[in-house]
Structure formats: C-alpha cells, structure tokens
Amino acid sequence: RCVLAATFAVAAGLRPMPGLSFGSSTLRPLAAAAAPPRRRLRSPPPQLLDPLDWLADQLEVRLRARREGKLRRPKRIILVRHGQSEGNVNRTAYQSTPDSQIALTEVGWAQGVVAGLQIRELVKNESIRCFYSPYLRARQTLLALLQAFDSQTVQLSSEPRLREQDFGNFQDDAQMSRVLAERQVFGRFYYRFPDGEAGTDVFDRMASFITYLFRTMTERDYFDDGRAAHEPAAPPPQNYVLVTHGLLMRIFCMCYLRWTVTEFEQVWNPSNCEIWVLEKVPRTGRYRLAGRWRQPHGQHHGGHFLDVRYGKSRHAYVPSHMKQPSDARIIVPGPNCLNAEALRGLSDPMDIGTALGIPFSV
C-alpha cells in the first residue's frame, strides 16, 4: 500500500507523505514514530495514517483547489486594440521609427479615453487587471483609458508576448508594398516577413501567454506578494483587460476558441480601440465570445454586443462553434459528413474526400 501510494503521488505531482522513506527493499511509513518509545507515554500514540487514505486526501485537496480556482477566474477577458497611431495614418513612419516607438495621434488619444469610458460602463465599479503590450502606442492607449478609472486601484502587467507581429526592422515603404502583395498570394497566416515573424510564430507565443494568463487566475500564490502566512489573499480581479494590437486580438481568440486557419482568415481586423469581450460561462471556468462592445454614438449609459466582423461582406453570421472553446470537432466519415458548419473548413483548399478516398458530398 505504501509503494502504491508513493507511485500515485509522484505521478500526480504531490509532495511525499511525511514519514515515507525508501529502505533497502521497501517503503517504511513513519519509521521513527513506529519505533518503540524510550519512555512511557501518558496517552497512546496517534494512529498512523494509511498511505492510500493520505493519497485520497491529497487528491481531494487538489480537486477542491481546482474547482475553487475556476470560480476565482475573472468575469470577463476584455481585448482592446490600441488607438490610431502615426503608422496608421502615414505608413512611411516605419522607415525611420522602430515599430515599438510609433506613437498615438491626437485622435488615437481621444479614442483611448472613449474606450476607457466604454469599458467602465461595461464593468461598472468592478476591479480590473491590465496586461499591455510594451509598444509605445499600446502604453499610451492604456494611460488614456485608465482616466476612466480615476481613484480606483488597478493592477498593471507589461507583457512582451502581446506585442505586434514583427514585420522586420525599419520598413521601406516600396518594399513593404511588394511584401504585402506577396502575403496575399502566399497566405496571411503562414507568410513570414523578411527579418520578421509569421502568423504561426505569433500563435506560438500567444499559446504560451494564455497558459500563463490562466495560471494567474487560478493560483493564489503564483507570485510571492510579501504577505505573511496568516494574512488573507487579496480578492482576485473581476476583469482582465488586454491592451494589444489587432492581429493579436484575432490570434488570441483563434488560440483560445480553437479557430481553424480558414476561420481565422475570415475574421476582419478590429478598428482602432475596438473592444472585444469574452464572458465567463456561469458555473464554469470557460469563456464565450460575446462580441464587440459598443455604445451608440452620443449615448453615455448602457451598450450592447455585436458580432465581430466576419466573412467577405464583414457582416456575415459568426458560427456558434467559433464563440466557445471545444476540445475537438466530431466527424463520422460518410456521405455529406462535411456539410456540418463546424467541419466545412476541412474541404478548403483541398478536396478531403478525394484525399481520403471517401465519396464525400460537400
């Protein structure tokens, strides 16, 4: 029983049971406590804990912590693109200014202030934690939107993985025109910019960031915040706000919601300071894409959600399977099996039916 408990504990990543140690040929639980006492005890020794009971207790603690961690997750993950930048209005700015140092225009600052007011209307007086790209235009957007949270404590975290896709170093305008045209032919997601990144690279770092993001949600002591052992942990933020770039917003959703490449390429880039919201599904730790948060022009209270722009017309219906994460998509091979909405991307750009030798009707 001791060996079995130790084996499961190691597999589950649990700390060893106190008193378990390897002997010459067996595991001896609580060897010291089991040895004959040197003096007479007034009360009988405590009952030795059965190793399998200990293992069951440890696993129950882990499961309880996992359930509580999901309940601690914030209500919303809010994605915000930076405001209008100098590079948005004058592409030649990238020829002499590093992408990381491109600043906001006056319009971009105003857009950031409005975005902050819109987020404040959405979350009311709930707490927020902001993760932001270290690029100048994203930092300036953050400062602009924080004006709506005057006198409220806000947690800030700089996150280099939220930076813009690397398009190279200084970017010659004529050369970039040729590169962008080539990307349209090659494929936006897979195309690698000279001296820069492909969309696949951005996906990889976003996957890493999402793993980290969710660990900060569920682990009470992910960082040592200097509290004494007896002090209670601070309540978790009720909202996470990510101030980043347009492509990063799309790839965040692609990575978390498990969009295919075909689906990703049909989602249009958000406009400056556009706000996308993922809301937590009640009694779960999962999030659902609610859409773009909008307030009608001139309205200072309330708001509503619209679908993200999708399809050739930009106004196509966003399929329901793209709004919530799923571990896998189910297929039963046979006639018409690719007609299901969630599987249509399999037949583009190649004929999967022909490739598999199955007479699919698509």
Side-chain angles (χ1 to χ4, degrees), residues 2 5 17 46 58 110 112 158 169 209 213 226 239 276 289 336 342 348-349:
C2 294
M17 174 182 172
Q58 293 297 309
S158 177
N169 298 314
F209 170 69
L213 188 75
N239 299 274
W276 292 6
L289 179 61
N336 305 314
D348 183 25

Side-chain angles (χ1 to χ4, degrees), residues 113-232:
V113 172
V114 172
L117 294 172
Q118 292 178 333
I119 294 173
R120 184 60 185 268
E121 179 62 26
L122 174 64
V123 305
K124 307 300 182 185
N125 292 322
E126 295 172 355
S127 57
I128 67 170
R129 177 177 180 180
C130 296
F131 296 82
Y132 59 93
S133 161
Y135 278 27
L136 178 59
R137 55 189 180 274
R139 287 185 283 129
Q140 291 176 330
T141 302
L142 172 70
L143 293 175
L145 69 83
L146 285 178
Q147 295 181 36
F149 296 87
D150 187 36
S151 302
Q152 179 174 327
T153 300
V154 176
Q155 299 179 43
L156 302 179
S157 298
S158 177
E159 181 46 69
R161 285 171 290 190
L162 290 177
R163 72 185 185 276
E164 177 64 284
Q165 180 179 2
D166 295 332
F167 296 110
N169 298 314
F170 294 110
Q171 302 165 25
D172 178 78
D173 186 51
Q175 181 182 1
M176 283 301 295
S177 296
R178 293 192 297 271
V179 166
L180 293 174
E182 186 178 64
R183 180 179 67 162
Q184 290 296 108
V185 177
F186 188 87
R188 296 173 62 88
F189 184 69
Y190 297 110
Y191 184 82
R192 181 176 302 280
F193 285 86
D195 301 318
E197 289 182 305
T200 52
D201 300 315
V202 182
F203 183 96
D204 290 343
R205 60 174 155 99
M206 183 57 70
S208 167
F209 170 69
I210 289 176
T211 300
Y212 159 75
L213 188 75
F214 275 75
R215 288 186 66 188
T216 65
M217 295 178 184
T218 56
E219 296 192 13
R220 293 175 181 267
D221 299 313
Y222 187 81
F223 292 113
D224 179 10
D225 56 7
R227 291 182 293 106
H230 65 276
E231 294 180 359

Side-chain angles (χ1 to χ4, degrees), residues 1-14:
R1 295 173 71 87
C2 294
V3 173
L4 182 61
T7 302
F8 276 107
V10 171
L14 301 174

